[in-house]
Amino acid sequence: MACSTYNYLHLPRKIRYSLASSLFISKPSHAFPSTFTTPFPSPSHTPIKFNVSVKFSTQSVSVSPTNTFTWDDVVRISQPDSVPHDSSDLSGFFQKVKICNRGSEKQSEFLPFVIEDQIAGYIHNGFANHLRRFKDVFIFPQDNSYGGRIGSHVTLHPMLRTPDDRTNAVGDVVKFLGEELIPGIRNELYPVTSSFGAPIFFSLERAAAPYFGIKAYGVHMNGYVEKDGQKFLWIGKRSQMKPTYPGMLDHLAAGGLPYGIACGENLVKECEEEAGIPKSISKEAIPVGVVSYMDIDGYRYKRDVLFCYDLKLPASFRPENQDGEVDSFKLIPVTHVANVIQRTQFFKSNCSLVIIDFLFRHGYMSPEHFGYLDLLQSLRSGDCS
């Protein structure tokens, strides 16, 4: 049977959602009562087993970014099911991948954004109509040689020759369009390139990146602890004051990759700001690969590549947020974190992909799990370039 027949993303929605998506480990664990304590028994490492029976209803919680939940909710939902089953089920993980890869059928609504004869991004035709007013900045050649299906593409005025000229001109347009069209403006610049490490065409306001469909890069770190053969992940709960995904679960440290800073340097900075991890510890973080996705939502076209890192932390370490962006942290068994991802939308959506990748790399999934290869491949659904 071909691998594609295993892909849960191709199943009808009602069948996918009816699948039970519970997880359990070989020995039950007690709930973790406080933010920094982990009074768990220490079973030997056992791969996660998955339940695929449609006879049993499982606890499924859908939470939008505007909703709130508590650590008590996380603890309750993370608990292993009391009834074990032999079948494997990855459907809850596939759903999280799908959330990050919406709208592929709408790609024809976007115009290629071309700079120096290279495609730097994609701009929705509706958003492009707002840009047409700025004739000294944007022009629209009637040329579909770059693959645009609407018969034209977007480029910058030829008088804008240098990266600084382009940065200033496009920045002025973004400011003029303002929060109504581009919410969340934060005066942080992202580099605009054709691929990672390529020459920078110009720099663009971070909030505007998906409206121009540029490739955006980030660093995401799983901070984990080992105790008596069991692995735990430090999980953060984002501040309710965050403009994006307030109150949702997050990695110990993560952030977008802004202009002028290398991945490793940016990770050290994020570790200090978000979790109070000193450089003497964070410099030991290991780069372990990437995940990627392509998500279309209205005028927004996100083409993101996330560089993944693992950091093994001392058992005595306690994170302390420094920049006000994280409300609290909790140390949670990896198997319980997997339950939360399977059963809820508590995690910021792209964080789920990075943790699923962690589950693969640390042996919590095996080829015997139904859909193993499809799920592994789906973690890099975007263009890793």
Side-chain angles (χ1 to χ4, degrees):
M1 184 178 294
C3 288
S4 60
T5 60
Y6 288 93
N7 196 331
Y8 278 93
L9 297 177
H10 297 159
L11 292 175
R13 179 178 297 180
K14 289 184 179 180
I15 295 178
R16 274 201 327 271
Y17 286 10
S18 68
L19 292 173
S21 54
S22 57
L23 297 149
F24 68 94
I25 55 179
S26 58
K27 296 182 182 181
S29 297
H30 302 292
F32 29 104
S34 62
T35 302
F36 298 124
T37 58
T38 54
F40 291 91
S42 301
S44 59
H45 175 73
T46 305
I48 298 174
K49 297 181 180 179
F50 301 90
N51 169 31
V52 73
S53 172
V54 298
K55 297 180 180 179
F56 299 91
S57 62
T58 58
Q59 203 164 25
S60 179
V61 179
S62 177
V63 175
S64 71
T66 56
N67 288 350
T68 59
F69 58 88
T70 67
W71 282 119
D72 287 342
D73 296 322
V74 175
V75 171
R76 173 175 52 82
I77 290 166
S78 73
Q79 297 304 299
D81 271 357
S82 58
V83 181
H85 299 281
D86 293 332
S87 299
S88 298
D89 174 27
L90 304 180
S91 61
F93 295 134
F94 275 116
Q95 291 166 17
K96 301 309 180 292
V97 174
K98 186 175 183 181
I99 289 171
C100 289
N101 290 278
R102 300 169 298 175
S104 60
E105 72 279 3
K106 299 179 181 178
Q107 287 180 327
S108 62
E109 300 175 9
F110 287 77
L111 300 170
F113 181 30
V114 178
I115 305 176
E116 297 180 7
D117 296 324
Q118 298 185 63
I119 295 177
Y122 295 91
I123 300 175
H124 191 275
N125 192 46
F127 187 76
N129 288 335
H130 294 283
L131 303 181
R132 293 178 189 273
R133 294 181 286 164
F134 305 94
K135 301 183 184 299
D136 293 336
V137 181
F138 298 99
I139 59 175
F140 297 79
Q142 292 299 309
D143 176 5
N144 62 359
S145 60
Y146 294 98
R149 301 182 184 179
I150 304 177
S152 67
H153 64 271
V154 187
T155 189
L156 296 178
H157 195 282
M159 292 298 292
L160 301 173
R161 297 189 179 95
T162 70
D164 285 344
D165 289 341
R166 297 163 180 167
T167 297
N168 293 332
V170 177
D172 288 342
V173 171
V174 169
K175 290 177 183 177
F176 185 89
L177 295 177
E179 289 279 340
E180 185 173 344
L181 274 178
I182 306 175
I185 292 175
R186 60 191 75 182
N187 298 313
E188 180 180 338
L189 296 178
Y190 270 11
V192 179
T193 68
S194 59
S195 61
F196 187 72
I200 297 173
F201 299 129
F202 70 99
S203 298
L204 177 67
E205 158 63 39
R206 175 178 179 176
Y211 293 91
F212 288 83
I214 70 166
K215 299 199 73 172
Y217 303 88
V219 293
H220 281 232
M221 189 189 78
N222 284 305
Y224 71 98
V225 172
E226 283 189 320
K227 293 183 178 182
D228 299 321
Q230 187 178 14
K231 289 181 181 177
F232 299 75
L233 279 170
W234 277 110
I235 301 299
K237 195 170 190 298
R238 295 162 68 89
S239 167
Q240 290 289 350
M241 303 305 294
K242 286 279 288 183
T244 56
Y245 302 97
M248 300 192 78
L249 301 184
D250 206 334
H251 298 300
L252 182 58
L257 188 64
Y259 172 72
I261 185 170
C263 288
E265 181 184 356
N266 192 44
L267 183 68
V268 168
K269 177 181 71 71
E270 295 291 348
C271 282
E272 174 61 33
E273 293 176 353
E274 295 193 354
I277 305 173
K279 184 176 180 179
S280 59
I281 294 178
S282 62
K283 69 179 183 179
E284 301 299 325
I286 300 173
V288 292
V290 301
V291 300
S292 63
Y293 52 92
M294 299 176 68
D295 179 64
I296 294 175
D297 180 19
Y299 289 170
R300 296 162 52 87
Y301 193 159
K302 290 178 66 64
R303 301 194 299 144
D304 291 357
V305 176
L306 307 181
F307 292 93
C308 303
Y309 289 77
D310 284 354
L311 177 61
K312 185 177 180 180
L313 291 158
S316 60
F317 173 77
R318 299 291 181 268
E320 295 183 7
N321 180 246
Q322 307 296 311
D323 60 8
E325 295 189 356
V326 182
D327 276 344
S328 56
F329 298 93
K330 188 175 284 293
L331 189 61
I332 305 177
V334 172
T335 49
H336 290 212
V337 174
N339 282 344
V340 176
I341 292 175
Q342 278 271 61
R343 300 169 181 173
T344 77
Q345 294 182 38
F346 286 175
F347 272 95
K348 180 173 175 284
S349 54
N350 59 4
C351 295
S352 293
L353 305 190
V354 179
I355 295 175
I356 294 170
D357 181 68
F358 181 94
L359 296 176
F360 273 103
R361 292 185 292 99
H362 287 259
Y364 290 91
M365 296 183 187
S366 72
E368 287 72 32
H369 291 141
F370 192 63
Y372 177 89
L373 288 179
D374 283 324
L375 180 60
L376 183 62
Q377 292 173 344
S378 72
L379 297 177
R380 295 155 189 87
S381 296
D383 178 12
C384 290
S385 67

